[in-house]
Amino acid sequence: MEGSIEAFLMSAMRLLALPDNGHTRLIPNDAIEVLPLRFVSVGCSVQFIGAVPEITAPRGELIAVNGADLSHIEATAEQFLAGRRQRKRVIGPIFLAWPYALARLGFSSSGGTTEYRLRDENGQITNLKVANEHTVPGSVLYPRNEHGKDDPTWQPEAFVEIKDWQDLGLSIALPSFFDSNESALLAAISAAVERVRACSNKPLLIDVRGNTGGDFLLTMPLIDAISESANKQVVVLVDKFTFSAAIVFVAILKHRLGNRLKLIGEEMGDGLTFFAEGGLLDLPASKAVVRYSSAFHDWKNGTTDETTPPEVAREIVPVGALNLDLEWVQGPAVENAFGEFHQRVLKSMSHWINDR
């Protein structure tokens, strides 16, 4: 209803989405109640990947909500979502479980329930109805920094996960660059540097899927080690959840390595020219958060202005573009089998190297 906190939140989301900057937006997750369903964007689809125990429905692709085609809902919601297309797809699924947002967008039902049409991996269609009063706090199922994992409470067990696949090569997963005291990330990066230098004759796979950012400056020793290594081929895995400092990490590597680096996955969550830094403002009356940005980054052209922090300006280089060499989208069913996926990619790398 007009005049409510939720009405204010939606209006603020629309206002802060106007700059098309993914680093500036209203985050309503702590301020709203949502139906106890978790939706996540995977590739070009939205997947139903979890719910509270008392709701039973097969995981699968979301096709429609209250009889409305999902693509129609997404197009209507775009004006409320900040950032570029992929960023909107990262933060947008919360709207699909937020009854007020569905009503504001014009897709509510009249019977006090919300009905979802789902299609499982075998093509079987299921209709799932949930009472609109059956809600949970938004942040329970939708974290502020949406990472796309099945478990909304996911936190990286380690900042670096290294696996030596012997003749196939070396894989290094970098799930996050956020470290409040910096020491754990620095130690993990140092360990990765040692392994890269010890395995400089092997193909190298770097996985930054789901990495929503942090401090890229702490990763510079690893970038230096990779750049100085003799690896004939380096592959970097990315997805729409790769954002902010993680994109910068990829950008600097691409500038250093040129054709030695192959980018695999899907388009990342932002471009190379954006405003970042800034901080968070808590709105106590609503419990929502405003994320604002204050500093210019231009990794496309390698330019800065007076707002660019000096330590960032020293690293900025003209990358031009970050185009995928191969589109390869993995669904949530293999989320925890990253080792198997890394092996598949490394096997493909061996063919690329031999064909050169």
Side-chain angles (χ1 to χ4, degrees):
M1 63 186 167
E2 295 305 318
S4 71
I5 287 178
E6 290 180 309
F8 162 75
L9 295 176
M10 289 285 287
S11 296
M13 289 182 74
R14 185 172 184 179
L15 174 65
L16 291 171
L18 291 175
D20 288 328
N21 179 30
H23 287 81
T24 295
R25 68 185 184 99
L26 183 120
I27 306 173
N29 306 38
D30 293 332
I32 63 174
E33 295 282 320
V34 299
L35 301 177
L37 311 170
R38 178 151 169 77
F39 298 104
V40 165
S41 179
V42 177
C44 295
S45 69
V46 171
Q47 298 284 327
F48 168 61
I49 63 172
V52 295
E54 60 265 30
I55 294 180
T56 58
R59 292 163 55 121
E61 180 182 357
L62 179 63
I63 303 171
V65 182
N66 292 325
D69 186 81
L70 182 60
S71 61
H72 189 193
I73 299 174
E74 289 178 324
T76 306
E78 275 195 3
Q79 62 186 310
F80 296 91
L81 302 173
R84 300 194 176 196
R85 178 179 62 92
Q86 286 289 73
R87 187 61 178 164
K88 293 176 189 286
R89 292 190 59 77
V90 166
I91 62 177
I94 193 173
F95 273 19
L96 303 170
W98 183 8
Y100 178 86
L102 288 171
R104 173 73 178 269
L105 296 174
F107 300 105
S108 64
S109 66
S110 57
T113 62
T114 299
E115 182 173 354
Y116 299 92
R117 185 173 303 144
L118 308 168
R119 178 169 53 213
D120 68 18
E121 59 182 6
N122 298 315
Q124 183 71 35
I125 300 297
T126 300
N127 292 318
L128 171 64
K129 282 188 177 182
V130 182
N132 288 341
E133 68 268 15
H134 187 184
T135 59
V136 297
S139 55
V140 169
L141 291 169
Y142 296 90
R144 287 186 183 183
N145 287 324
E146 179 58 77
H147 42 64
K149 303 290 192 300
D150 286 21
D151 180 2
T153 65
W154 172 87
Q155 294 289 336
E157 295 180 2
F159 286 106
V160 173
E161 299 175 28
I162 305 172
K163 179 67 176 180
D164 190 339
W165 302 102
Q166 303 305 318
D167 292 339
L168 283 179
L170 186 72
S171 67
I172 301 178
L174 301 168
S176 176
F177 296 152
F178 285 107
D179 181 13
S180 57
N181 61 20
E182 300 185 358
S183 59
L185 178 57
L186 281 172
I189 292 295
S190 295
V193 167
E194 292 182 9
R195 293 300 293 274
V196 167
R197 288 176 175 161
C199 302
S200 63
N201 61 331
K202 292 186 175 185
L204 177 62
L205 182 151
I206 305 292
D207 190 347
V208 289
R209 293 174 301 157
N211 187 325
T212 60
D215 188 349
F216 80 89
L217 292 171
L218 299 179
T219 73
M220 290 304 298
L222 179 56
I223 292 175
D224 291 338
I226 296 171
S227 305
E228 296 162 3
S229 73
N231 301 92
K232 294 181 180 179
Q233 189 72 77
V234 177
V235 161
V236 178
L237 302 179
V238 297
D239 63 9
K240 64 172 63 68
F241 301 97
T242 305
F243 187 63
S244 193
I247 296 178
V248 172
F249 176 88
V250 178
I252 299 174
L253 266 185
K254 181 63 176 178
H255 184 264
R256 299 267 192 96
L257 299 179
N259 291 333
R260 285 174 56 202
L261 185 146
K262 299 298 182 186
L263 207 57
I264 294 180
E266 59 175 323
E267 181 186 346
M268 290 182 280
D270 205 348
L272 293 177
T273 303
F274 53 84
F275 276 83
E277 315 310 325
L280 299 172
L281 296 174
D282 292 319
L283 305 182
S286 66
K287 298 182 182 179
V289 175
V290 172
R291 173 72 175 89
Y292 68 93
S293 52
S294 59
F296 182 61
H297 287 237
D298 183 6
W299 299 89
K300 178 179 180 180
N301 304 298
T303 61
T304 64
D305 70 10
E306 65 277 4
T307 68
T308 312
E311 62 274 18
V312 172
R314 285 192 291 269
E315 305 296 343
I316 284 187
V317 289
V319 179
L322 282 176
N323 299 318
L324 291 174
D325 294 286
L326 177 64
E327 186 172 357
W328 193 337
V329 177
Q330 288 295 116
V334 295
E335 174 185 294
N336 297 319
F338 75 93
E340 178 184 342
F341 178 50
H342 287 175
Q343 289 183 77
R344 290 169 58 196
V345 176
L346 286 167
K347 287 177 182 177
S348 298
M349 289 172 64
S350 65
H351 294 308
W352 299 337
I353 293 171
N354 293 333
D355 290 342
R356 292 181 64 175

